Amino acid sequence: MTHSDPKTAHDAAVLLRAGQLCAFPTETVYGLGADATNADAVLAIYETKGRPRFNPLIIHCADLAMAETLAEFSPLARQVATLWPGPLTLVLPARPDNGLAGIAMAGLDSVAIRIPDHPVALAVLAAVGRPLAAPSANPSGRLSPTTAAQVRIGFAGRVPVLDGGPCRAGVESTIVRIEGDKLVQLRAGAMSRNAIEQALGVKVAVAPKGTALAAPGMLASHYAPRALLRLNSTPRAGEAYLAFGDGPEFAGPVRNLSPRGDLHEAARNLFAMLHELDAAGADMIAVAPIPDEGLGEAINDRLLRAAAPRD
C-alpha cells in the first residue's frame, strides 16, 4: 500500500498521534518515527524495518523537560545535555513508570535519548507532544537515508515521509553513556569525541569491542549496501569506487566523498554516495582510506560495520 506523504509537521503529528509510522528528517539522517508511548506503534517500527527486537531505539524529545520525564539525570548528564539540541544521544537510567513502551528500550533499564537539531523534527515533536522513537528510516542493516527519496525507495512507498530536504550531518548521532563520573562513547557519530571533550572539558572514553548491546547501532554488521565493501583500497576492474581526496583515475562508477579531503563533507556524503554506487550495480565497492580522526572516526565505524560479514 502506498501512503500519501504529509506536507507539514502538523500532518505528520496527526499520523503519529494516531499510532501510525511517519518518517521525518533530522540533522543526522531521516528517522522512522512512532509514538514511543504506544507499544503497537513501536512494534510496527521493528516489523517495518525487520529490526531485531533486542536492538533498542533512540527516543527523540522536544526539549529537556520532556527528556527529564523519561530518564534520571545526574549532574554530569545535565552538563552533557547542554550540547542539545544536537547529534548526541545520551544513554541514561530509565525512570520507573516513564510511560515508554517497554519494547522501545528492548527490555533494558536504560534509555537512549536525544533532542534533534532540525527545525522540522522539533516542529513534529512539539506538535505530537510525546516522545518519538525514531531509528533510521531504512530496512534494518541497510544504508541510512539522508533524503526523503531514499526513504521512499527503501520502503517502496509504504511509509509516509515528511520531506525536509537533505540531512546536513549525514551520519547518525554519537552515543554516550554516563557511567558514574565518566563518559563512555558507545557509538561514534556526527559529534566527534574531541568536540565533546573540548565543549565540556571532560574526557570521553571509548567502549571496548564486545561491549554488551546497550544502544542502537552497535551490531557488528550494519549500515550495509547490497554490494560488498573492500576498505582502504584502490579499485579493480568491474568494481565501483568510493574515493576521498586525491585518488587514482578510474573508469568505473566513482563518487568522491570530498575531493578536498574535508571530513565534514565526507560524513555528509557517505550514505548518499554509497546509495548511488550501490544503484550502479557493481558487486564490490572499493573504498579509499579515510583518516581516523575527528569525524573520520564515525565514518570508519560505519564503513567497518557495512563491510562486516553478514548473517
Side-chain angles (χ1 to χ4, degrees):
M1 176 181 176
T2 300
H3 296 263
S4 60
D5 289 331
K7 302 296 187 219
T8 66
H10 176 267
D11 294 343
V14 170
L15 295 174
L16 291 161
R17 288 181 67 88
Q20 296 183 48
L21 301 184
C22 183
F24 60 88
T26 76
E27 79 278 30
T28 57
V29 300
Y30 272 72
L32 181 61
D35 178 354
T37 68
N38 181 329
D40 289 337
V42 175
L43 181 60
I45 287 179
Y46 285 96
E47 291 173 337
T48 301
K49 283 178 62 73
R51 184 184 179 96
R53 302 290 195 275
F54 57 78
N55 196 2
L57 301 173
I58 293 177
I59 309 302
H60 292 64
C61 294
D63 51 35
L64 186 58
M66 182 182 284
E68 287 176 327
T69 68
L70 307 180
E72 305 282 359
F73 279 76
S74 66
L76 178 56
R78 289 184 187 286
Q79 184 182 356
V80 181
T82 61
L83 300 178
W84 284 341
L88 177 65
T89 294
L90 274 180
V91 177
L92 300 171
R95 278 189 179 277
D97 304 318
N98 61 14
L100 293 177
I103 190 172
M105 297 187 293
L108 302 174
D109 58 5
S110 59
V111 59
I113 299 176
R114 86 179 187 98
I115 301 173
D117 187 16
H118 192 291
V120 174
L122 290 171
V124 171
L125 282 157
V128 174
R130 300 170 192 163
L132 295 176
S136 55
N138 58 308
S140 189
R142 294 297 179 188
L143 294 170
S144 298
T146 56
T147 66
Q150 290 165 8
V151 178
R152 295 186 189 105
I153 292 168
F155 291 125
R158 291 177 290 111
V159 173
V161 53
L162 178 60
D163 192 342
C167 301
R168 68 174 184 270
V171 293
E172 297 83 358
S173 63
T174 304
I175 301 180
V176 170
R177 180 165 60 196
I178 312 289
E179 297 182 0
D181 60 354
K182 295 180 181 173
L183 299 181
V184 178
Q185 178 178 274
L186 300 181
R187 179 180 77 180
M191 188 177 291
S192 68
R193 269 191 305 134
N194 19 353
I196 297 169
E197 290 174 342
Q198 289 173 11
L200 301 177
V202 177
K203 187 75 177 165
V204 180
V206 176
K209 285 185 173 21
T211 297
L213 197 71
M218 293 180 69
L219 294 175
S221 177
H222 211 57
Y223 313 115
R226 288 176 180 79
L228 299 177
L229 298 189
R230 200 159 49 75
L231 305 184
N232 303 312
S233 304
T234 53
R236 301 168 184 161
E239 296 181 342
Y241 182 42
L242 187 64
F244 177 79
D246 290 331
E249 293 292 323
F250 182 61
V254 179
R255 293 291 184 276
N256 196 321
L257 291 170
S258 176
R260 62 189 182 193
D262 182 315
L263 289 170
H264 284 84
E265 183 180 26
R268 189 165 60 247
N269 288 333
L270 177 63
F271 287 128
M273 288 186 173
L274 281 172
H275 274 285
E276 291 167 4
L277 290 178
D278 213 19
D283 293 328
M284 181 71 72
I285 300 172
V287 182
I290 309 292
D292 201 29
E293 59 191 32
L295 278 178
E297 185 177 29
I299 296 169
N300 282 309
D301 171 84
R302 301 308 184 275
L303 289 169
L304 281 168
R305 294 179 197 273
R310 303 173 194 179
D311 297 333

